[in-house]
């Protein structure tokens, strides 16, 4: 158990819909990261937040947005969903100089 | 543009043998990470390498970093079945992370 929690575990929805994925980092970690893992695109970095502020953006689509709240939990919002958005979405958190990232169990999203 | 190449993609090895997974990247980096992923599971951090010449070891796994060659290696010593998993390297540059394609390792008894 990494100490990072993600909800929900599984999500099935239809094209065009909007969903919200939630992540609670390890206690004391200020950084939160979001990643997408799919068979065709592999592991992709989406976005990082540090202490409530966006620190870096990766391959995040404009239809996707995220935020980190004052209690440090984070949400990833996916809208106008397409079939190709079906993937595993991981959240990770880190703290300390080495920035070791601890991954949550993931949310498996299926868009039908 | 930062690109990361990992090889081999698949590796089947006998228990007790040694082998190395390679991770090449195209531009300078700030950190290099190695992760393990078991089927259907999340990623587990193995190593974070920060500087040229860095070497870290944990059990039968040893990771090293050569920033001049833009190469990291993950060496497996005397493999055991429990090491069967997919291994990813990831390179960070200015807080952005690029992953290799992963190496699926199968250790045969």
């Amino acid at each position: 158990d990494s100490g990072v929690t993600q909800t929900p575990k599984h999500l099935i929805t239809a094209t065009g819909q909007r969903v919200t994925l939630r992540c609670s980092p390890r206690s004391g970690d200020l950084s939160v990261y979001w990643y997408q893992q799919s068979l065709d695109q592999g592991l992709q970095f989406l976005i990082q937040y540090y202490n409530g502020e966006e620190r870096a953006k990766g391959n995040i689509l404009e239809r996707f947005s995220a935020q980190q709240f004052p209690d440090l939990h984070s949400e990833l919002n996916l809208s106008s969903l397409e079939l190709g958005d079906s993937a595993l979405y991981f959240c990770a958190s880190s703290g300390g100089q080495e920035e070791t990232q601890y991954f949550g169990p993931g949310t498996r999203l299926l868009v039908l | 543009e930062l690109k990361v190449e990992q090889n081999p993609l698949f590796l089947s090895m006998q228990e007790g043998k040694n082998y190395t997974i390679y991770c090449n990247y195209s531009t300078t980096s700030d950190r290099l990470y190695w992760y393990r992923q078991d089927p259907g599971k999340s990623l587990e951090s193995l190593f974070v390498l920060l500087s040229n010449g860095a070497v870290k070891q944990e059990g039968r796994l040893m990771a090293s970093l050569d920033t001049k060659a833009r190469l990291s290696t993950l060496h497996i010593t005397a493999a055991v079945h429990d090491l069967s998993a997919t291994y990813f390297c990831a390179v960070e540059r200015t807080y952005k992370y690029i992953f290799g394609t992963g190496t699926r390792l199968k250790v045969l008894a």
Side-chain angles (χ1 to χ4, degrees):
Chain A
D1 184 359
S2 67
V4 178
T5 60
Q6 287 187 250
T7 56
K9 273 190 163 180
H10 304 276
L11 201 46
I12 302 175
T13 188
T15 54
Q17 295 297 304
R18 173 189 167 96
V19 297
T20 297
L21 313 183
R22 184 188 166 102
C23 169
S24 292
R26 291 188 327 151
S27 177
D29 284 354
L30 299 180
S31 289
V32 169
Y33 312 77
W34 286 98
Y35 297 92
Q36 179 195 61
Q37 186 175 32
S38 63
L39 279 174
D40 50 343
Q41 298 200 54
L43 268 161
Q44 291 205 83
F45 165 68
L46 296 179
I47 197 163
Q48 181 195 1
Y49 280 84
Y50 178 80
N51 202 19
E53 299 289 326
E54 182 186 302
R55 180 177 254 183
K57 260 185 179 177
N59 297 327
I60 188 165
L61 299 172
E62 284 194 14
R63 301 183 284 109
F64 296 0
S65 65
Q67 53 184 327
Q68 186 180 27
F69 295 87
D71 67 353
L72 301 177
H73 91 270
S74 179
E75 292 181 356
L76 178 67
N77 299 295
L78 314 176
S79 62
S80 302
L81 284 167
E82 301 175 359
L83 296 177
D85 298 328
S86 296
L88 255 175
Y89 291 85
F90 289 110
C91 163
S93 74
S94 73
Q97 187 178 4
E98 282 200 344
E99 299 283 358
T100 298
Q101 294 188 25
Y102 298 89
F103 280 70
T107 293
R108 188 174 293 276
L109 173 67
L110 181 59
V111 182
L112 300 174
Chain B
E1 182 190 351
L2 177 57
K3 292 186 179 178
V4 179
E5 281 187 12
Q6 193 175 333
N7 63 82
L9 293 183
F10 299 97
L11 179 54
S12 182
M13 55 193 295
Q14 297 288 328
E15 274 194 330
K17 299 291 187 184
N18 304 332
Y19 210 85
T20 301
I21 300 171
Y22 297 89
C23 177
N24 291 273
Y25 54 98
S26 58
T27 66
T28 56
S29 73
D30 296 320
R31 288 182 182 85
L32 191 135
Y33 299 79
W34 284 98
Y35 294 98
R36 168 183 173 142
Q37 187 176 34
D38 291 299
K41 303 287 187 181
S42 185
L43 278 80
E44 174 192 352
S45 178
L46 296 173
F47 303 106
V48 182
L49 302 171
L50 300 179
S51 58
N52 189 44
V55 177
K56 289 192 174 179
Q57 183 162 6
E58 181 74 34
R60 299 174 189 273
L61 301 177
M62 183 173 72
S64 66
L65 178 63
D66 181 343
T67 58
K68 291 177 183 175
R70 295 179 186 157
L71 170 68
S72 179
T73 60
L74 180 66
H75 187 72
I76 302 154
T77 301
V80 293
H81 180 71
D82 284 352
L83 290 179
S84 297
T86 298
Y87 293 84
F88 292 93
C89 66
V91 177
E92 181 229 327
R93 189 173 185 216
T94 55
Y95 304 116
K96 297 184 182 180
Y97 301 81
I98 304 293
F99 282 78
T101 48
T103 295
R104 189 178 295 180
L105 171 66
K106 187 169 184 179
V107 181
L108 306 171

